[in-house]
């Protein structure tokens, strides 16, 4: 199974790990992105994530398909959250399970990087001083 | 023909709207949509070559449009 | 915090993710090893893991220290389970959290590979036909 | 001096035991321990150069031992 979703509720990463479990898999890899308390030296109070949801879902689904073709990953899931997130909240979760470890480690990195590069998702950071700013990918949010 | 233009995030802020209906001549391309959008108040701050998606796939400026297409201007993405 | 342990109870990976959480971290990476139903074409019913526990703990603690030196990882944990595991059970969990994603992705891979290479831990596989065999690292268990 | 030898996994199976006390001359090295272990029944199936740890750290065959040291023969590891 592969599954990609944009969600408006807190991400349950443990459920996603269960979802990719399969008795033929010996390795599971996961990545979580969380809201940090600072960005380029500014104190962050929260992030408002928004997305072009239908396209983000189809783009992430395509990325999972590419991961299957490149790494042989048959069990993978990705969820990206939208809405108002506080510091520490999970914004993205990627999980992949494979028979051996190299494939899932490589696949998770690929899926995370491709999603950050291609999925139409944006974040508006809120700072302690009350200001807000649209974050530009590449401006320190790796 | 009619196409729907979607605006998101910083572009929606710049233009003060998230959607726009456009009536275009047959054979119009993404370039035509961009030309129309640039006539809107606030559009001077759009980058010279914004990313565009047609029907939820990234598209070129030369991509031909059809009746009912959904054309989205995609600000620099920042997911993750 | 860094923490390494050999445990005789089921591994609670969600608790480990909480353990490495810190408001300055924007990225968390995890690896789980699970018992597969087959090994080199033989049907596996379970694995008996054993360890030189004190040395495995100190070797894994040293590996986490090396990950800190190499990748700047301040928050990482590893648990390796011993005892009788069934197919699907988690044998090893590695989690690391860092401000940015590259460091934790690289660190988890390093920690997993170093642990497999250096920690004095062994596995006795039980097969459907009733036979048992000590698994030799490198013989297909990557 | 006395050292404790620990055997694990396949080596414990081969030698039919998990621990062994050895009385060695002062200045003895890991090599001496290996020589003694090779006298035990079943030891012919040990590899020529097994990994050894002294007091929970990997050690060389030339590592000198002290009273009370814990010397472990480490079969090929297979954690993970």
């Amino acid at each position: 199974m592969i599954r990609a979703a944009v969600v408006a509720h807190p991400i349950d990463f443990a459920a996603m790990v269960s979802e990719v479990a399969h008795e033929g898999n010996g390795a599971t890899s996961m990545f979580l992105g969380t809201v940090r308390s600072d960005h380029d030296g500014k104190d962050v109070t929260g992030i408002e994530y928004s997305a072009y949801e239908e396209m983000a879902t189809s783009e992430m689904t395509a990325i999972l398909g590419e991961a299957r073709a490149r790494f042989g990953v048959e069990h993978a899931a990705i969820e990206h959250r939208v809405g108002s997130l506080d510091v520490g909240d999970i914004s993205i979760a990627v999980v992949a399970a494979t028979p051996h470890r190299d494939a899932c480690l490589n696949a998770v990195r690929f899926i995370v990087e491709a999603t950050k590069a291609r999925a139409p998702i944006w974040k508006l950071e809120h700072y302690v001083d009350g200001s807000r700013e649209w974050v530009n990918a590449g401006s320190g949010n790796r | 023909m009619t196409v729907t233009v979607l605006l998101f995030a910083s572009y929606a802020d710049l233009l003060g709207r998230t959607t726009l209906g456009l009536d275009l001549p047959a054979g119009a391309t993404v370039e035509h949509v961009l030309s129309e959008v640039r006539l809107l108040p606030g559009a001077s701050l759009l980058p010279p070559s914004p990313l565009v998606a047609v029907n939820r796939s990234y598209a070129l400026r030369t991509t031909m449009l059809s009746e009912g297409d959904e054309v989205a201007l995609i600000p620099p993405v920042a997911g993750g």
Side-chain angles (χ1 to χ4, degrees), chain A, chain B:
Chain A
M1 57 68 61
I2 61 175
R3 184 179 64 85
V6 173
V7 301
H9 52 74
I11 291 174
D12 181 352
F13 66 82
M16 294 173 69
V17 168
S18 299
E19 188 179 347
V20 299
H22 182 277
E23 65 172 22
N25 292 332
T28 303
S29 184
M30 179 178 82
F31 176 83
L32 303 177
T34 48
V35 176
R36 269 190 299 142
S37 56
D38 74 282
H39 181 218
D40 287 347
K42 287 195 270 193
D43 289 331
V44 173
T45 58
I47 295 183
E48 183 88 21
Y49 277 92
S50 58
Y52 180 8
E53 296 196 17
E54 303 86 346
M55 181 176 167
T57 302
S58 73
E59 199 67 28
M60 294 191 299
T61 302
I63 289 164
L64 295 182
E66 293 165 31
R68 175 148 64 182
R70 288 176 64 151
F71 306 108
V73 176
E74 298 290 342
H75 302 92
I78 177 169
E79 289 190 0
H80 200 300
R81 189 171 168 193
V82 291
S84 289
L85 276 69
D86 294 325
V87 170
D89 284 350
I90 298 168
S91 54
I92 182 174
V94 175
V95 295
T98 52
H100 304 291
R101 75 174 178 281
D102 270 343
C104 71
L105 288 167
N106 290 335
V108 164
R109 182 187 290 266
F110 167 79
I111 294 163
V112 171
E113 293 184 350
T115 298
K116 284 178 179 259
R118 291 161 44 185
I121 299 173
W122 303 280
K123 53 185 178 186
L124 183 62
E125 283 190 342
H126 297 243
Y127 306 107
V128 163
D129 65 8
S131 63
R132 300 153 25 126
E133 199 171 288
W134 290 102
V135 177
N136 216 316
S139 67
N141 69 321
R142 296 192 74 215
Chain B
M1 67 184 179
T2 306
V3 303
T4 302
V5 179
L6 302 181
L7 300 165
F8 295 96
S10 57
Y11 294 176
D13 281 1
L14 283 178
L15 298 170
R17 60 172 84 200
T18 60
T19 183
L20 173 73
L22 284 182
D23 211 2
L24 298 173
T29 64
V30 164
E31 185 64 49
H32 286 82
V33 170
L34 292 177
S35 300
E36 292 288 334
V37 169
R38 286 192 199 291
L39 301 176
L40 297 172
S44 62
L45 292 171
L46 285 177
S49 287
L51 277 177
V52 175
V54 175
N55 297 333
R56 301 159 192 181
S57 293
Y58 287 110
L60 303 174
R61 295 166 74 106
T62 52
T63 297
M64 295 255 290
L65 300 175
S66 304
E67 169 66 27
D69 276 355
E70 184 176 285
V71 181
L73 272 63
I74 309 286
V77 301

